[in-house]
Amino acid sequence: MAEAASSTAPYDVVIIGGGPGGYNAAIRAGQLGLRAACIEMRDTLGGTCLNVGCMPSKALLHASELFETATTEFPTLGIEVGAPKLNLAQMMAQKADSVAALTKGIEFLFKKNKADWIKGRGRIIGKGQVEVTAADGSKTVLTAKDIVIATGSEPTPLPGVAFEDGKVVDSTGALSLPAVPKHLIVVGAGIIGLELGSVWRRLGAQVTVVEYLDRITPGMDSDVAKAFQRALTKQGMSFKLGSKVTGAKTSKDGVDLTVEPAAGGAAETLKGDVVLVAIGRRPYTEGLGLETVGIETDKRGFLANDHFRTGKDGVWVIGDVTWGPMLAHKAEEDAVAVIELIAGKAGHVDYNLVPSVVYTVPEVAWVGQTEDQLKADGVAYKSGKFPFSANSRAKINHETEGFAKVLADATTDRILGVHILGPQAGEMIGEACVAMAFGGSAEDIARICHPHPTRSEAVKQAAMGVDNWTMQA
């Protein structure tokens, strides 16, 4: 006979998932005086982003960038310290230490805001009820007026290519390889694949990227994507675009990957030590008990929403598991909005103003519409473009790859999109987000005094270029 589940006192809101959407929802709920519980099945809070995504990848990107800088740039700068030596175990250890500190920080914020972390796997069992199964198998039922689904996403598998530890890996596996591969094959030329490919290339791997489409980074402005690919190719990364992976065979010597042209043609075999499958992510809804409250996913697995409401009383959805960009900062904005709606306040997120960033060198960042979208929609627009090769700070720092581009309405001058390929692009895109949120024009950015010498002057000069008065190029 199954052991009966114990119950707890009712909560105002129960959140399933402790990633950027879930943990921020719990914190905001606590700030607004709501009694909140956040269910997380991992041993630590933070979800994919903090544990096996955004944060550990940035730790390795930073460390590998410094390693390459010490190898290639130090002599040019007059710094003579001898050839740097890679200690991969220490690099991984400092990554783990940084991640642990961040997850502990979330635990502190839960305590500060009186939010409860319920450890285990959550499953909806009826209206206002969530059953939590702990690691030891014991079950607890939480009740609440409102339930927020924030279960995030997981790597999408590739049919015909089975994962195998250390040989065919997803993004999580690629963050913890025990040695630098001689040849890393990345399947998928999206953000995750290019970031992790960059890490291992800097540390000494030959990197080949296989992509089904005839371009890299779908969703990125094509003008930027072409320049970005040129930069990565110059660094030593190679690309096989318009190519379909049809199978993989592992052996003690590595992996044989079968690839053929997407348009049809003869197959070829690529041999690598490790294959990273990074073809995207899919919503995580396994075992959630959605059927108990009459909720279904769409054909892609996403949960539909109307202002975060699923259409079923008291069940809300945020983050990667629903529509919009699958980004941690989008999930965080969703979290604030949904809790404020639950608390009777106004809550809204403009997905047109969610920025995207690729943390390679050079970085790529953008917000708003691309030129491709504007052309497809028949929107009359003007553009201004400024190269970092003409930016004082970038030249002094030997960071001249790339450009900034501003797109504005041809009649009103309202900013429609900003795209940056260059140093610190991820930091600079925030200026564009603020300007666009307030309905700013290209002239607004052009006439705001920017500090000199800074990389941000490239954005100002690009904005000036919208009206053809760029002064420094």
Side-chain angles (χ1 to χ4, degrees):
M1 182 175 178
E3 183 180 346
S6 62
S7 298
T8 65
Y11 285 92
D12 295 310
V13 58
V14 168
I15 302 147
I16 306 176
Y23 78 71
N24 279 292
I27 291 168
R28 186 64 180 136
Q31 289 178 337
L32 294 178
L34 300 177
R35 185 166 186 258
C38 182
I39 303 165
E40 173 53 53
M41 61 186 183
R42 280 190 173 90
D43 292 333
T44 53
L45 289 166
T48 294
C49 179
L50 263 70
N51 289 281
V52 290
C54 323
M55 306 320 296
S57 66
K58 302 310 166 286
L60 293 183
L61 281 160
H62 175 64
S64 63
E65 182 182 344
L66 291 178
F67 178 76
E68 185 170 61
T69 297
T71 304
T72 62
E73 290 291 320
F74 275 14
T76 301
L77 298 175
I79 303 172
E80 298 180 5
V81 292
K85 182 180 178 181
L86 175 63
N87 183 337
L88 186 59
Q90 173 57 28
M91 189 176 287
M92 292 297 178
Q94 62 84 31
K95 175 201 70 175
D97 289 345
S98 297
V99 168
L102 289 169
T103 57
K104 288 293 184 185
I106 299 173
E107 289 186 49
F108 166 77
L109 292 172
F110 268 42
K111 292 175 182 176
K112 177 182 177 182
N113 292 285
K114 298 181 174 59
D116 292 340
W117 172 18
I118 310 298
K119 299 180 182 181
R121 184 183 292 270
R123 179 178 182 272
I124 299 172
I125 57 173
K127 181 179 178 180
Q129 293 185 307
V130 181
E131 181 183 77
V132 183
T133 303
D136 63 3
S138 61
K139 298 181 185 295
T140 304
V141 175
L142 309 182
T143 60
K145 176 176 175 292
D146 293 288
I147 297 169
V148 177
I149 298 172
T151 46
S153 61
E154 62 182 346
T156 302
L158 181 62
V161 180
F163 290 115
E164 184 176 329
D165 285 349
K167 291 186 177 178
V168 181
V169 300
D170 60 12
S171 55
T172 300
L175 288 167
S176 301
L177 295 177
V180 178
K182 292 179 181 177
H183 184 196
L184 171 67
I185 303 173
V186 180
V187 182
I191 293 174
I192 294 172
L194 295 181
E195 287 187 348
L196 292 174
S198 291
V199 166
W200 294 108
R201 184 204 59 75
R202 292 171 189 162
L203 299 180
Q206 174 192 347
V207 176
T208 301
V209 181
V210 181
E211 168 59 44
Y212 182 81
L213 299 176
D214 61 359
R215 56 159 292 171
I216 71 169
T217 50
M220 182 185 291
D221 184 279
S222 60
D223 179 32
V224 177
K226 289 174 185 175
F228 183 34
Q229 184 182 341
R230 285 196 299 270
L232 295 175
T233 301
K234 192 188 304 180
Q235 294 170 12
M237 199 176 287
S238 60
F239 293 87
K240 292 188 70 66
L241 304 181
S243 299
K244 178 171 62 174
V245 174
T246 57
K249 182 179 180 181
T250 61
S251 67
K252 62 186 176 90
D253 298 323
V255 186
D256 288 346
L257 199 69
T258 306
V259 179
E260 62 184 53
E268 66 174 309
T269 299
L270 299 181
K271 296 181 179 291
D273 302 78
V274 177
V275 171
L276 163 60
V277 177
I279 60 172
R281 299 184 66 82
R282 63 184 183 183
Y284 187 84
T285 57
E286 182 182 353
L288 270 181
L290 300 175
E291 68 282 355
T292 67
V293 285
I295 296 176
E296 297 180 354
T297 66
D298 69 11
K299 61 183 180 181
R300 296 179 299 161
F302 290 97
L303 295 174
N305 80 86
D306 179 7
H307 291 83
F308 312 109
R309 296 174 175 86
T310 63
K312 304 299 177 182
D313 288 345
V315 181
W316 309 71
V317 60
I318 62 173
D320 282 7
V321 79
T322 191
W323 301 327
M326 298 177 86
L327 298 168
H329 45 282
K330 175 264 190 183
E332 181 175 345
E333 297 304 313
D334 281 359
V336 172
V338 76
I339 294 300
E340 292 183 346
L341 287 168
I342 288 171
K345 297 176 176 290
H348 174 70
V349 181
D350 185 348
Y351 291 162
N352 293 318
L353 295 181
V354 175
S356 295
V357 184
V358 190
Y359 295 90
T360 48
V361 175
E363 285 188 353
V364 192
W366 68 96
V367 65
Q369 294 175 285
T370 66
E371 278 202 75
D372 313 78
Q373 291 170 325
L374 296 176
K375 289 174 181 176
D377 293 341
V379 176
Y381 69 95
K382 300 180 292 183
S383 67
K385 195 171 177 181
F386 188 83
F388 279 99
S389 58
N391 174 264
S392 300
R393 181 68 184 276
K395 289 174 75 172
I396 291 295
N397 286 18
H398 307 285
E399 302 168 328
T400 55
E401 190 93 53
F403 56 85
K405 180 165 70 172
V406 175
L407 306 172
D409 187 276
T411 303
T412 66
D413 197 41
R414 183 169 180 162
I415 302 168
L416 302 175
V418 176
H419 306 267
I420 307 171
L421 168 68
Q424 298 293 307
E427 301 294 340
M428 291 188 285
I429 202 65
E431 173 183 8
C433 297
V434 172
M436 293 173 69
F438 282 90
S441 67
E443 186 179 6
D444 288 330
I445 290 183
R447 293 191 180 276
I448 290 173
C449 184
H450 287 60
H452 175 76
T454 62
R455 305 169 184 93
S456 69
E457 290 176 286
V459 179
K460 173 187 171 75
Q461 292 287 327
M464 293 162 68
V466 169
D467 202 30
N468 297 312
W469 63 290
T470 297
M471 296 173 63
Q472 295 178 2

